[in-house]
Amino acid sequence: MILFKRPDDLIDFIQKKRKSIIKIGFVPTMGALHQGHISLINKSKSENDITICSIFVNPTQFNNPNDFEKYPITIEADIEQLELNGCDILFMPSVDDIYPENFQKNNFELGYLDAILEGKHRSGHFQGVCMVVKRLLEIVNCDVLYLGQKDYQQCMVIKKMATDLKIPVEIKISPTIREKNGLAMSSRNKRLNETQKESALVIFEVLCFLKENIFEINIDDLKETSMEKLIAKGFDVDYLEITDEILNPIAKAEKKQTIVALIAASIGDVRLIDNMMLNNANKAE
Ligand code: AMP
């Protein structure tokens, strides 16, 4: 694996590689890598000639300074995992590399996506996400961008930005990788103590409960019971929402519709998000 720290070095390297016909896959991350990230690396490796992973804890997407300061950093273990899994290039820029003094800030038109769920509860978060992803895409110049469904709304936001700005990149979304007990893998799980980790299983339990009962129990009652389950385990719930495919809340479940449940909740000072497709109308029977 080749490690690049300076954007210009990576840009040069890619320009040279581009002289032959190659396909480049890109997996942007904030590090503290786990199997969720590695699943994206593996997918990219199987579909491209070169796989680039970036590790950059992006300050502009943290609305909570405490969350930024406490974000886990495990660089040595990350490099080891990437090498073990055959990643070709690791890009690890500094904040000044990504946001130099002359950096031009865009205002991204995200419409309702910026005002609901994560957008509502983390003011400015998606502007920061778009800022960094746009900049990274300019540097890595990839053909395919790999994202995780774990961050469902983020996938929609990045797709919208890429479409609106006509960025020529294909976006592929991979399923959420979970621990055996169902807990969605997340870098933030490293900040949970054993008791909190145990309590956090309730998020997956609630999502499964919703999936089992979405056509049996009305949505208001489902949401009320789910909230009670989360609160009973000590969670402070930002939102628990049941929506259609494009995140519009639904009042009634219909079988011909794609239905998604999304949860954001904190335990102690760790905020977790998760989601599950309760009904997939696009899936062939
Ligand atoms: P992060 O390092 O949290 O910014 O995540 C980097 C990428 O990995 C994003 O596209 C995430 O959606 C994805 N990701 C994070 N956790 C998981 C997971 N458990 N399963 C699949 N993808 C994930």
Side-chain angles (χ1 to χ4, degrees):
M1 183 170 72
I2 312 175
L3 168 64
F4 288 93
K5 290 197 170 174
R6 294 187 42 234
D8 286 349
D9 294 341
L10 180 55
I11 291 169
D12 275 359
F13 179 88
I14 291 169
Q15 258 172 12
K16 285 188 191 121
K17 286 278 173 198
R18 283 279 183 214
K19 287 185 181 137
S20 56
I21 301 167
I22 56 157
K23 205 171 162 199
I24 299 177
F26 175 46
V27 181
T29 81
M30 296 204 297
L33 301 182
H34 49 68
Q35 280 308 310
H37 299 115
I38 299 301
S39 71
L40 301 179
I41 299 283
N42 288 338
K43 180 118 178 76
S44 169
K45 272 191 67 72
S46 70
E47 296 178 347
N48 297 280
D49 303 301
I50 291 183
T51 291
I52 306 176
C53 174
S54 66
I55 296 181
F56 178 65
V57 185
N58 173 34
T60 66
Q61 73 185 69
F62 284 83
N63 52 317
N64 176 350
N66 188 43
D67 190 25
F68 176 60
E69 273 150 33
K70 291 199 172 160
Y71 202 83
I73 296 187
T74 59
I75 292 299
E76 276 169 28
D78 290 352
I79 292 177
E80 206 176 305
Q81 280 207 69
L82 289 172
E83 284 199 315
L84 213 64
N85 287 280
C87 181
D88 302 293
I89 294 175
L90 169 59
F91 179 44
M92 238 172 42
S94 69
V95 174
D96 289 343
D97 285 327
I98 293 297
Y99 303 119
E101 251 173 39
N102 58 353
F103 181 76
Q104 289 283 331
K105 269 193 179 177
N106 291 60
N107 181 40
F108 298 93
E109 271 306 322
L110 300 174
Y112 73 104
L113 288 175
D114 222 359
I116 58 166
L117 306 172
E118 291 299 285
K120 177 173 170 191
H121 288 272
R122 300 186 68 188
S123 177
H125 169 64
F126 286 132
Q127 291 296 320
V129 167
C130 287
M131 208 184 285
V132 76
V133 174
K134 176 174 179 282
R135 174 91 174 106
L136 289 169
L137 288 175
E138 280 162 6
I139 297 167
V140 303
N141 184 18
C142 62
D143 301 281
V144 193
L145 171 66
Y146 293 86
L147 303 172
Q149 194 199 312
K150 160 86 168 35
D151 298 277
Y152 190 97
Q153 191 174 3
Q154 174 171 282
C155 294
M156 286 185 63
V157 162
I158 294 174
K159 273 186 174 174
K160 176 165 171 48
M161 176 201 62
T163 307
D164 290 353
L165 302 183
K166 300 189 172 56
I167 300 175
V169 66
E170 186 183 354
I171 297 180
K172 292 200 175 182
I173 296 168
S174 289
T176 302
I177 305 296
R178 299 177 179 281
E179 305 283 355
K180 277 203 190 81
N181 60 20
L183 180 66
M185 290 192 184
S186 164
S187 305
R188 288 187 175 83
N189 293 351
K190 292 193 167 68
R191 292 178 48 207
L192 298 171
N193 65 32
E194 286 311 309
T195 321
Q196 291 170 329
K197 232 178 237 169
E198 188 72 28
S199 303
L201 300 184
V202 71
I203 296 179
F204 182 64
E205 281 163 23
V206 163
L207 291 170
C208 292
F209 162 76
L210 291 170
K211 190 171 174 124
E212 269 162 36
N213 292 291
I214 187 66
F215 297 115
E216 314 299 329
I217 304 175
N218 78 65
I219 285 186
D220 282 347
D221 290 345
L222 277 178
K223 280 164 76 171
E224 196 181 318
T225 311
S226 300
M227 285 293 272
E228 282 166 8
K229 287 175 190 278
L230 289 163
I231 291 165
K233 288 287 179 183
F235 272 96
D236 187 4
V237 183
D238 272 356
Y239 60 79
L240 182 156
E241 200 50 88
I242 298 178
T243 72
D244 65 10
E245 191 169 10
I246 57 165
L247 296 178
N248 293 310
I250 58 168
K252 193 171 178 307
E254 288 179 29
K255 292 209 164 120
K256 60 178 191 309
Q257 188 178 37
T258 290
I259 305 173
V260 188
L262 305 104
I263 296 175
S266 302
I267 188 152
D269 66 349
V270 185
R271 185 175 184 275
L272 301 175
I273 61 169
D274 200 352
N275 67 80
M276 189 181 279
M277 206 163 272
L278 308 185
N279 186 52
N280 187 350
N282 301 320
K283 205 165 82 185
E285 289 294 320

